[in-house]
Amino acid sequence: MVTELHPHCAYLDIETTSLSPSDGELTVVGIYLDRGKIESFIQLVGEEISAPRLLEALEEVQVLYTYNGGRFDLPYIQAKLGIDLTKHCLHHDLMYDCWRKNLYGGLKEVERQLGIERKSAGIDGYMAVRLWLNYKLYDDEKALLTLLGYNREDVLNLKVLRQKLKV
């Protein structure tokens, strides 16, 4: 049973080919669904990314957690897919909770400050673009698997971050 104390929530992070949706594309949308005792992980990749598929994945979600999602992920999704996710669920941007605790920087920097470990150390947004291009241009499956692992770690670490912040 869903209660206000334990709403269905999700953690979301995207990968793109550019910081601007006007000259970039969505390459991966990672979603970690947390329904209390039932958890699942979904990644929409390339051509699989569509408004209907994303809305279906988030269908029962009441609270969506991101890091810098209010300024990047959600506006990018709206520009590319034409949907405002804040009309479908509450959005909670963990970056602002970090700021209230004097934790600044991108997600990886905040993770470092809090001692959250990461297997995909050394991969950043620039490398994520290169991995996607290697996959698309050269059919490099290893590059795609590395990108998906990086995105998965970003998404799963959002839950760890939320727990460390106690929000």
Side-chain angles (χ1 to χ4, degrees):
M1 175 176 203
V2 177
T3 66
E4 287 188 25
L5 293 175
H6 301 284
H8 286 190
C9 68
Y11 302 85
L12 178 140
D13 184 66
I14 65 172
E15 306 306 328
T16 68
T17 59
S18 170
L19 294 176
S20 170
S22 64
D23 64 357
E25 64 180 288
L26 273 169
T27 59
V28 181
V29 178
I31 305 163
Y32 174 49
L33 297 165
D34 186 351
R35 299 176 184 103
K37 293 183 179 182
I38 301 170
E39 299 176 350
S40 58
F41 184 77
I42 298 167
Q43 283 177 313
L44 302 175
V45 181
E47 301 293 322
E48 299 172 352
I49 302 170
S50 69
R53 282 192 147 181
L54 183 55
L55 291 174
E56 180 183 346
L58 297 172
E59 187 173 28
E60 295 181 15
V61 170
Q62 294 169 302
V63 183
L64 182 64
Y65 292 93
T66 64
Y67 187 91
N68 194 31
R71 295 191 318 184
F72 183 70
D73 303 67
L74 299 191
Y76 211 104
I77 288 169
Q78 186 167 3
K80 298 309 273 187
L81 302 179
I83 52 174
D84 179 355
L85 292 179
T86 64
K87 292 189 188 306
H88 299 276
C89 56
L90 295 174
H91 175 238
H92 188 109
D93 194 327
L94 295 168
M95 180 179 71
Y96 299 108
D97 297 298
C98 290
W99 288 4
R100 282 189 281 282
K101 296 180 183 278
N102 291 316
L103 296 165
Y104 298 99
L107 178 60
K108 281 80 175 166
E109 174 58 23
V110 169
E111 289 172 352
R112 189 191 63 71
Q113 292 174 54
L114 292 174
I116 299 172
E117 293 194 17
R118 174 171 279 274
K119 292 179 187 138
S120 61
I123 300 178
D124 58 13
Y126 175 74
M127 177 61 76
V129 172
R130 291 186 58 204
L131 289 167
W132 178 255
L133 292 176
N134 282 345
Y135 166 65
K136 291 302 281 184
L137 297 174
Y138 308 111
D139 204 25
D140 184 345
E141 291 291 326
K142 186 177 181 210
L144 177 61
L145 291 175
T146 301
L147 176 62
L148 294 177
Y150 166 75
N151 173 260
R152 180 182 181 93
E153 199 164 23
D154 277 354
V155 175
L156 296 178
N157 278 356
L158 291 175
K159 182 175 182 178
V160 176
L161 175 61
R162 179 180 167 213
Q163 290 168 334
K164 289 222 180 229
L165 295 170
K166 296 179 172 68
V167 296

